[in-house]
Amino acid sequence: MKINLSKLFYILIAAILVIGIYLWRPEKDPYAVFKKPITASDLIESQQDGGLSNSFIDKGLEVSGTLLEINQENNKYALLIEGKNGSDILCELKEDQVSLLSTLKLNQHISIRGIYKGYLKDAILLNCELIDIAVHE
Amino acid sequence: MNKYLLFFLIITSLSFTTSVNQQYISRQGQVTFFSYTTVENIQATNSTVFSIIDLENKEIAVSILMKAFTFKKSLMQSHFNESYIESDLYPKATFNGKIIDYDPNYEGIQTRIIKGNFNMRGISTEKEIKVQISRVNDEISISGETNLEVDDYKINIPPILKPNISKNIKVSFNLLHRPYEK
């Protein structure tokens, strides 16, 4: 009986450890999974070619292109980057990036990185961050 | 001289009316769903919903990328996409409908019914949704609420999680449309 209780105790500890490790495992950095600089027009072209961009879904992408619009709706800020053939890149910004918006100008060439989620009319990226902000002309 | 002026004014006003935009789009529409249970309340929001209104035909089409819903808990987001919605198989939900008795020229708020079909996970259901339509200058905002029954879309919830997820999901939306310049 003592031996059974002892084994049970160790099994219980092991189970708690496994569950704990699973629940509190550090989250993977989505940007570390896949990083490939790509132009906005190339991303649009790849999705319009049919499916090639599916391999990018839920991956971090660095995208560069011309800033068309800065929009705010429902307390969310998003950048619209010029794409191709009537489709653009819609990039929803992380909250800590909003303070950088004042450094941007329309038609400026910018680079952003974000998590690609797929496309509707435009390619959609979430959790976007600004990188390599170009010097104003 | 007066004849020429009158002619010029008529031509100008005609060209103005024919160039009034009949299509309005929203790229950052917001859809939020709520699941209320005694065990847990779950909420997720999607702020990149695409919507287009055709004022001439009084039609609306909405497209929702399922992977763009964000949750407070990333584990819930994973379950949502991988198990419940199966977003890899069904990446988008759509709604196509007609706005009943809508006056597109009215500046102000109208309460109307949109009748249409909502499609999710390849399953289409008819919906009638009461909406508030507000037109201010060149912006048309459509907002409202509806409910979705989980069982209608064959969403498989593991028995152990059934107490955590409501069978009836409340969905609210707010879509701000601007003229569509092609």
Side-chain angles (χ1 to χ4, degrees), chain B residues 7-165:
Chain B
F7 180 72
F8 173 75
L9 283 171
I10 291 169
I11 294 297
T12 309
S13 62
L14 275 176
S15 64
F16 175 74
T17 51
T18 53
S19 71
V20 168
N21 210 315
Q22 293 301 309
Q23 288 190 331
Y24 284 66
I25 69 165
S26 171
R27 283 174 148 124
Q28 278 183 265
Q30 188 171 76
V31 170
T32 302
F33 70 75
F34 305 87
S35 162
Y36 296 114
T37 66
T38 52
V39 176
E40 189 178 8
N41 291 336
I42 300 169
Q43 177 178 318
T45 299
N46 185 328
S47 300
T48 54
V49 173
F50 178 73
S51 171
I52 184 163
I53 310 172
D54 185 318
L55 295 184
E56 191 176 347
N57 298 319
K58 298 175 191 176
E59 289 174 347
I60 181 168
V62 182
S63 196
I64 305 167
L65 198 61
M66 300 310 283
K67 282 195 182 240
F69 275 100
T70 56
F71 294 71
K72 277 186 181 167
K73 297 179 187 175
S74 60
L75 194 59
M76 179 57 70
Q77 191 161 330
S78 297
H79 285 158
F80 174 79
N81 283 305
E82 290 164 19
S83 304
Y84 306 150
I85 299 298
E86 297 180 278
S87 304
D88 288 337
L89 293 175
Y90 310 105
K92 300 173 194 176
T94 59
F95 176 81
N96 294 286
K98 209 157 174 104
I99 311 172
I100 309 299
D101 294 332
Y102 174 55
D103 181 358
N105 298 313
Y106 180 79
E107 288 256 348
I109 298 174
Q110 300 176 61
T111 300
R112 292 290 178 266
I113 299 286
I114 297 181
K115 273 189 189 177
N117 287 300
F118 177 72
N119 187 297
M120 186 169 68
R121 288 174 48 81
I123 297 169
S124 196
T125 57
E126 286 182 7
K127 304 290 287 177
E128 282 191 21
I129 306 171
K130 187 166 104 173
V131 297
Q132 300 272 322
I133 306 175
S134 167
R135 179 166 192 163
V136 177
N137 297 325
D138 242 359
E139 290 185 345
I140 300 174
S141 166
I142 298 182
S143 60
E145 281 181 8
T146 187
N147 290 294
L148 298 178
E149 296 287 329
V150 164
D151 289 342
D152 285 349
Y153 302 94
K154 296 184 182 171
I155 293 173
N156 275 328
I157 300 170
I160 197 169
L161 289 176
K162 280 197 172 169
N164 296 52
I165 297 170

Side-chain angles (χ1 to χ4, degrees), chain A residues 31-79:
Chain A
Y31 297 110
V33 175
F34 179 86
K35 252 198 250 185
K36 179 183 176 182
I38 187 170
T39 62
S41 58
D42 284 349
L43 177 61
I44 298 294
E45 199 166 311
S46 74
Q47 79 189 21
Q48 287 179 345
D49 279 345
L52 189 63
S53 63
N54 284 344
S55 60
F56 298 158
I57 288 178
D58 281 332
K59 305 288 197 300
L61 289 184
E62 288 185 13
V63 180
S64 61
T66 304
L67 178 63
L68 291 180
E69 291 177 22
I70 302 172
N71 291 322
Q72 187 215 352
E73 277 180 42
N74 300 306
N75 296 318
K76 295 278 186 182
Y77 285 87
L79 306 180

